[in-house]
């Protein structure tokens, strides 16, 4: 009721009825710039960039080294408090970059957190600044005492002009990516790396203390990670043991065998796989045989493919498994017999073409693996 009376009174008096509690109406960013955000997950680390995108707007050749992107530092007093301000690496408010875990930027450590991002521009070398103050307006109140990290990178000239300032990710691997700032005919790159193994394991330890720690699938996932990355094998084995308490199947026993093998406990590994093989599906055994080939254990692989063929005779998968097993052991004659038997059972054109290539290799006396 009070709100209605205020509106009526405001209309009657012809005065503004906008209160500070109501805030401003939503409008586009000033200067015709575009508000944007981009992010990517590197390993399990989320990297998020929030920025405003200025446009070239006919100023090509007059962006860098001018009052648009000034070289070095600029005195912004009396509009702000900073007498040596770098470029805000965007427009309007602070450009910010946030990391959900600790990272390395250009090989230097940077703790998890959200940072104001600035650039000291120079045509030969740029200094990138990650500043602990991520809430100030642009670069007007920049203070170098709040810097968390500075790194130097080389800018790269581009052949084609980029109209709207853009951040993007490139050169991705499982533990790294390069962040690119592209605008006009210049690119400013910097590499972000994560300690995938340790961040993943730290996260696993926390998650496996929750309800997920009672799930054999999640426990096996953690154990498999240790085996695949050849790290924290004893810890992985403890997770594997807990997984087996929940479910004894091909996957859990195979996981245990991999860890025991890497720990040098071959007898235990062989015992686990002897128990696992009768439980495996056709695809389980086929993939296990291929893994043995990758480990250069051809004779063991052939035995697994033979067991699979006995359990699942006259199947495309088992014929091709036998072809691979005989081929890796040098018996190209039997490999060719099985490849030809599998050809008419090919499930699709892609598989058929792949088997035809195998047959040609075997006829030439070449291994198909």
């Amino acid at each position: 009721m009070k709100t209605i009376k205020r509106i009526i009174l405001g209309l009657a008096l012809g005065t503004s009825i906008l209160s500070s509690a109501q805030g401003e109406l939503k409008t586009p960013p000033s200067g015709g710039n575009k508000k944007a955000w981009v992010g990517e997950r590197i390993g399990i680390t989320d990297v998020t960039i929030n920025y405003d995108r200025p446009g070239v707007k006919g100023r090509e050749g007059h962006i860098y080294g001018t009052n648009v992107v000034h070289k070095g530092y600029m005195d912004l007093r009396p509009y702000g408090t900073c007498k040596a301000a770098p470029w805000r690496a965007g427009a309007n408010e602070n450009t910010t970059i946030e990391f959900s875990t600790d990272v390395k930027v250009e090989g230097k450590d940077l703790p998890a957190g959200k940072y104001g991002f600035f650039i000291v521009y120079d045509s030969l070398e740029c200094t990138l600044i990650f500043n602990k103050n991520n809430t100030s307006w642009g670069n007007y109140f920049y203070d170098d005492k709040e810097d968390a990290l500075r790194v130097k990178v080389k800018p790269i000239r581009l052949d084609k002009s980029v109209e709207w300032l853009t951040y993007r990710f490139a050169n991705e691997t499982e533990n790294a990516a390069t962040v690119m700032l592209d605008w006009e005919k210049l690119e400013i790159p910097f590499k972000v790396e994560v300690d995938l193994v340790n961040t993943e394991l730290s996260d696993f330890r926390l998650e496996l203390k929750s309800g997920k720690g009672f799930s054999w699938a999640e426990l096996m996932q953690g154990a498999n990670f240790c085996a695949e990355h050849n790290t924290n094998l004893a810890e992985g084995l403890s997770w594997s043991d807990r997984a087996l308490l929940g479910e004894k199947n091909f996957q859990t026993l195979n996981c245990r065998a991999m860890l025991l093998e890497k720990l040098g406990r071959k007898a235990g590994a062989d015992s686990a796989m002897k128990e696992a093989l009768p439980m495996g599906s056709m695809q389980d055994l086929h993939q296990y045989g291929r893994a043995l080939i990758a480990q250069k254990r051809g004779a063991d692989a052939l035995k697994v493919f033979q067991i699979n063929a006995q359990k699942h005779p006259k199947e495309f998968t088992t014929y091709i498994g036998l072809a691979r097993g005989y081929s890796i052991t040098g018996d190209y004659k039997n490999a060719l017999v099985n490849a030809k038997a599998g050809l008419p059972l090919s499930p699709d054109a892609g598989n058929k073409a792949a088997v035809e290539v195998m047959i040609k290799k075997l006829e030439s006396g070449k291994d198909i693996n």
Side-chain angles (χ1 to χ4, degrees):
M1 183 61 73
K2 288 182 179 179
T3 302
I4 294 172
K5 288 180 178 178
R6 284 178 57 225
I7 293 172
I8 293 171
L9 181 61
L11 290 171
L13 297 175
T15 59
S16 172
I17 59 174
L18 183 64
S19 72
S20 59
Q22 291 171 305
E24 296 182 2
L25 298 176
K26 186 182 292 185
T27 59
S30 63
N33 303 310
K34 298 180 181 293
K35 192 166 287 294
W37 55 94
V38 65
E40 188 155 302
R41 181 166 290 178
I42 305 173
I44 61 167
T45 301
D46 291 330
V47 181
T48 308
I49 303 169
N50 282 274
Y51 64 107
D52 281 28
R53 304 176 66 191
V56 175
K57 300 176 183 177
R59 299 174 293 180
E60 190 169 301
H62 301 282
I63 295 291
Y64 296 96
T66 69
N67 63 350
V68 180
V69 178
H70 54 275
K71 180 179 179 180
Y73 299 91
M74 177 179 285
D75 189 345
L76 296 179
R77 298 172 300 174
Y79 304 104
T81 58
C82 185
K83 64 179 180 180
W87 177 43
R88 72 185 84 181
N92 299 332
E93 305 167 55
N94 260 10
T95 295
T96 65
I97 182 165
E98 185 171 8
F99 307 98
S100 64
T101 73
D102 297 349
V103 298
K104 286 183 182 292
V105 177
E106 290 295 313
K108 294 186 177 182
D109 292 330
L110 184 63
K114 185 175 183 178
Y115 298 93
F117 181 59
F118 303 93
I119 296 177
V120 182
Y121 167 75
D122 185 274
S123 60
L124 300 178
E125 185 177 66
C126 295
T127 300
L128 312 185
I129 302 171
F130 298 83
N131 189 271
K132 295 174 185 175
N133 185 340
N134 62 66
T135 59
S136 293
W137 182 269
N139 50 357
Y140 288 92
F141 305 96
Y142 167 77
D143 184 347
D144 61 6
K145 295 184 180 64
E146 297 175 314
D147 288 351
L149 177 68
R150 286 182 169 223
V151 296
K152 295 182 182 296
V153 299
K154 302 288 186 185
I156 300 168
R157 297 300 303 178
L158 299 176
D159 294 330
K160 293 182 66 177
S161 184
V162 177
E163 175 63 25
W164 295 97
L165 186 148
T166 301
Y167 284 89
R168 63 186 178 89
F169 292 81
N171 306 322
E172 293 93 336
T173 67
E174 70 170 7
N175 70 327
T178 302
V179 179
M180 308 285 202
L181 185 164
D182 297 335
W183 193 32
E184 200 235 21
K185 288 190 173 182
L186 198 73
E187 181 172 82
I188 302 174
F190 60 95
K191 187 175 183 179
V192 177
E193 298 172 275
V194 301
D195 185 344
L196 175 63
V197 170
N198 284 320
T199 55
E200 190 78 90
L201 285 173
S202 295
D203 195 67
F204 283 165
R205 291 182 189 114
L206 285 174
E207 290 196 79
L208 293 176
K209 289 178 181 177
S210 69
K212 294 179 181 180
F214 297 97
S215 165
W216 69 266
E218 275 77 6
L219 286 161
M220 189 186 69
Q221 183 182 358
N224 271 328
F225 181 87
C226 293
E228 290 165 5
H229 291 82
N230 200 29
T231 187
N232 294 68
L233 299 176
E235 186 173 27
L237 186 60
S238 72
W239 289 337
S240 172
D241 289 343
R242 286 165 57 191
L244 278 164
L245 292 174
E247 180 78 19
K248 184 176 283 191
N249 57 31
F250 179 86
Q251 289 79 15
T252 52
L253 286 164
N254 181 37
C255 177
R256 176 175 172 77
M258 284 194 296
L259 288 161
L260 289 171
E261 184 83 29
K262 289 177 179 290
L263 286 165
R265 295 161 60 178
K266 190 174 186 307
D270 290 344
S271 176
M273 284 314 302
K274 184 177 180 180
E275 188 177 0
L277 288 176
M279 302 180 185
S281 68
M282 181 172 66
Q283 285 299 329
D284 286 335
L285 297 183
H286 185 74
Q287 292 304 321
Y288 177 56
R290 294 202 64 177
L292 290 172
I293 289 175
Q295 297 168 28
K296 303 190 185 304
R297 294 171 57 185
D300 291 336
L302 178 57
K303 289 177 184 177
V304 171
F305 289 133
Q306 288 170 334
I307 292 171
N308 206 15
Q310 290 168 4
K311 290 180 66 177
H312 307 281
K314 298 181 180 180
E315 294 277 359
F316 170 78
T317 297
T318 52
Y319 275 131
I320 300 307
L322 286 170
R324 288 189 177 279
Y326 282 119
S327 178
I328 196 66
T329 55
D331 186 349
Y332 297 140
K333 181 180 177 180
N334 273 316
L336 184 59
V337 168
N338 282 280
K340 287 182 174 180
L343 182 62
L345 300 176
S346 300
D348 53 49
N351 276 285
K352 184 178 180 181
V355 176
E356 288 171 343
V357 171
M358 289 180 180
I359 290 171
K360 288 180 181 178
K361 282 187 175 182
L362 291 168
E363 289 175 336
S364 302
K366 295 179 181 178
D367 180 29
I368 60 174
N369 295 286

